Amino acid sequence: MTRTSCSEQQQAESTPPPASPSACMLLELHPLKDIVNLDLYSPLFFFHDDDDDDATRTTKCCHHHYEKQQQQQQLLQHRHNNHSVAMTLPNFLLPHAIQRLVQESMTNLHKAFYTPKDHTHNVYLTPMDPTLGPTHAYNLQVTSTKGCIQTDQLPSDSILLTLYHNEDFKRFLQRLLGVEGLYPYQDPLSSINVHYASEGQELGWHFDNSSFAITLLLQEPEDGGVFEYVPHVRHSSKQEQEEVKVEEEDSQYGNKKAMEYEMVEKILGGDIVPETLDIKPGTLVLFRGKDSLHRVTKVIGNKTRILVVLAYNEKPGVALSEEARRTFFGRTGMEAEDAGK
C-alpha cells in the first residue's frame, strides 16, 4: 500500500485555488483515515493492478472485504446504474466526519447566496432563444430555489479542503471516472460548493455543463429532496451527434435528435417516470449529468438538505465564467481585485 508523500503531493497540485492552505498542511490537519471509511474502501483507493480494469478491481475489492469482514453485500452497492450514468458509494464518509461537516455547514448557513425566487431557467442553462416559441422545449422554464456557499467561504481547516486536494482521493476518482487528470477551478469560488435546500426549495430539471459531478450528501431532509434523473436524454458531443446520423432532423437550432426536445418536453410534462437515487448521509455519488436530465424535488419539513459538490476539470486553468458566477453565486470572487483597479 503506497501513500503519497507531502513533497510529491505539493508537486502534483498544479493549479490550487488562490489562498488555499497547502495540501501538506491539510493532510496533517485531517488524515484521510479520519475522513473516509478506508476499512470499507481502501482496496479502491490503494489496490493497484495495472492489468485489471475498473470492473475487475471493484470485484476484487468486494471479494477482499467479504473474506476480511463479511461486507460483500454492502460493497455490492458500489454499482454503476444505467450504463455508468450514476455510481453511489454508501458510507463513504465516517460518522464523525459527517457530524463535523454538518455542524460546519450550519454554522456557515448565513453566508449562503440564494437564487432569487423569481429566477427561472431552461434545462440547458442557457438564455432563451427568441426565434423559437415560448412553449418550445428549449425555452420551457423551470425553477431552482436553493442556497450555496463557495470555496472561499469555507473555514481554512475544513475537512472538505483536505479531501478535495488529497492526491489519493483524486486518483481514486480518476480510476472510477476513467479520466487522466483532475484539476481544481482556477477561480476562487467554484471548486467546492455547499448547497442548502430548506422547506419548499428545489433544484429544477437541467443538464450539467460538465461531463461529471461529484457530490456528498451530509444531511437528508425529513421528506422530499429526492434526486431524480432520466438517463441518456440527449447526445451533446460532436462524436455522439455523428453517431446519431439523422440528417433530416437537423434544424436552425441544432440536431433535434441530439438535443431530444420531444423527450425533454415529455419529462417536464410528467409523461416519463424518472429514475431515483437512494442517497443517505455520507454517500459519495458520481453522476454524469451532461446528457442525463436531472433534478432535486422540493424539500418537505424543517430539516435542511445539505449537499457538497466537489467540482473538478479534466484540464488545468479552467475558470467558471463571470456570468455564471454572478448568476449562481451572486458575485465573481474578484470584487476586491476589481475595486483596486
Side-chain angles (χ1 to χ4, degrees), residues 2-127:
T2 303
R3 306 298 289 268
T4 305
S5 69
C6 284
S7 59
E8 289 172 336
Q9 200 158 325
Q10 284 181 325
Q11 293 171 3
E13 194 66 61
S14 57
T15 55
S20 64
S22 71
C24 280
M25 184 187 302
L26 292 169
L27 190 60
E28 291 168 2
L29 280 172
H30 309 292
L32 195 64
K33 65 180 180 62
D34 292 341
I35 305 171
V36 175
N37 188 351
L38 292 180
D39 189 48
L40 189 60
Y41 286 102
S42 59
L44 284 175
F45 268 82
F46 308 117
F47 184 87
H48 299 287
D49 188 339
D50 294 336
D51 294 329
D52 289 342
D53 58 19
D54 287 335
T56 303
R57 186 180 293 110
T58 302
T59 301
K60 288 186 176 181
C61 168
C62 295
H63 180 67
H64 170 82
H65 278 289
Y66 175 74
E67 292 180 336
K68 181 181 178 184
Q69 298 178 340
Q70 301 295 299
Q71 292 178 326
Q72 185 183 43
Q73 188 61 40
Q74 189 175 22
L75 279 163
L76 288 175
Q77 294 179 39
H78 308 167
R79 61 195 181 278
H80 285 281
N81 299 317
N82 292 294
H83 307 292
S84 298
V85 165
M87 186 178 190
T88 58
L89 286 81
N91 302 311
F92 184 81
L93 292 180
L94 292 170
H96 66 265
I98 299 172
Q99 183 180 11
R100 172 167 177 160
L101 286 171
V102 169
Q103 293 174 345
E104 176 185 299
S105 300
M106 294 306 295
T107 299
N108 290 294
L109 177 59
H110 68 283
K111 300 178 183 178
F113 171 77
Y114 283 83
T115 308
K117 293 182 179 180
D118 59 350
H119 175 77
T120 61
H121 58 82
N122 66 4
V123 301
Y124 304 98
L125 301 178
T126 57

Side-chain angles (χ1 to χ4, degrees), residues 258-301:
M259 301 299 280
E260 285 293 0
Y261 295 122
E262 183 177 348
M263 183 174 287
V264 167
E265 187 173 352
K266 287 181 179 179
I267 294 170
L268 269 59
D271 297 326
I272 294 179
V273 178
E275 302 286 337
T276 62
L277 285 183
D278 182 20
I279 309 173
K280 299 299 180 185
T283 298
L284 179 73
V285 177
L286 283 66
F287 183 73
R288 295 187 179 276
K290 190 172 185 178
D291 292 333
S292 298
L293 203 61
H294 55 286
R295 70 168 178 174
V296 177
T297 63
K298 287 184 178 181
V299 165
I300 301 171

Side-chain angles (χ1 to χ4, degrees), residues 120-150:
T120 61
H121 58 82
N122 66 4
V123 301
Y124 304 98
L125 301 178
T126 57
M128 293 181 66
D129 187 338
T131 67
L132 305 175
T135 60
H136 188 280
Y138 188 87
N139 288 332
L140 290 178
Q141 298 292 291
V142 298
T143 301
S144 290
T145 51
K146 62 177 180 60
C148 80
I149 63 173
Q150 296 85 54

Side-chain angles (χ1 to χ4, degrees), residues 192-231:
I192 308 172
N193 295 153
V194 181
H195 293 254
Y196 305 89
S198 299
E199 172 79 37
Q201 294 179 335
E202 64 183 315
L203 177 61
W205 287 109
H206 66 285
F207 295 107
D208 289 341
N209 290 320
S210 58
S211 299
F212 53 82
I214 301 160
T215 64
L216 282 164
L217 184 67
L218 300 183
Q219 181 170 277
E220 60 183 340
E222 294 173 3
D223 201 355
V226 178
F227 185 90
E228 297 183 340
Y229 68 102
V230 179

